[in-house]
Structures are given as C-alpha cells and as structure tokens.
Amino acid sequence: VRALDISEKATELKSLGATEVVIGDSLDRATLKKAMEGVRAVIHVGPPFHPKETEMGQTIIDAAGAA
C-alpha cells in the first residue's frame, strides 16, 4: 500500500498500514506520476467539500490511466 498525502505525516500513515508514503499535492501531475509508478490499482479518498475536489479526482483518474 502506497499512500499520498500533502502533509508530512508519513509515520501516521505507516501506522495505519501504508508501506510507502509519497508527500505531495494530488493536483500536481509530477507528484502523481511518482505516486502511480508500479501500481496496479488506485483508491482515491478525496477531501470532501474541497473547492477543487472534482479537478483533483479527474487529475488522479488521468494519472492512473497514464500509469
């Protein structure tokens, strides 16, 4: 399990089961490319009511398709 989060909480994410953590913005295509390397499946849990929630979801879908 690889987690992506914008904040520096790698230790917390690892305690929840992530084996790898990528720190970065899910609207940044370079960050998503790094996060998607070698993955077979993506589960996106977006921040509800975020003003760019739809854009974020579409960017992640695009990155997953490209990977």
Side-chain angles (χ1 to χ4, degrees):
V1 173
R2 181 179 303 145
L4 168 66
D5 198 281
I6 198 165
S7 68
E8 300 279 337
K9 55 183 178 181
T11 304
E12 179 183 339
L13 293 170
K14 286 185 175 183
S15 73
L16 294 171
T19 54
E20 299 176 54
V21 178
V22 175
I23 305 298
D25 188 339
S26 59
L27 288 168
D28 179 63
R29 294 186 186 280
T31 297
L32 290 176
K33 183 176 181 179
K34 178 181 175 183
M36 301 285 178
E37 288 177 359
V39 300
R40 295 183 304 180
V42 175
I43 298 171
H44 169 61
V45 180
F49 308 110
H50 188 282
K52 294 188 175 183
E53 182 179 3
T54 301
E55 179 184 350
M56 193 179 300
Q58 190 59 58
T59 303
I60 290 170
I61 290 167
D62 294 345

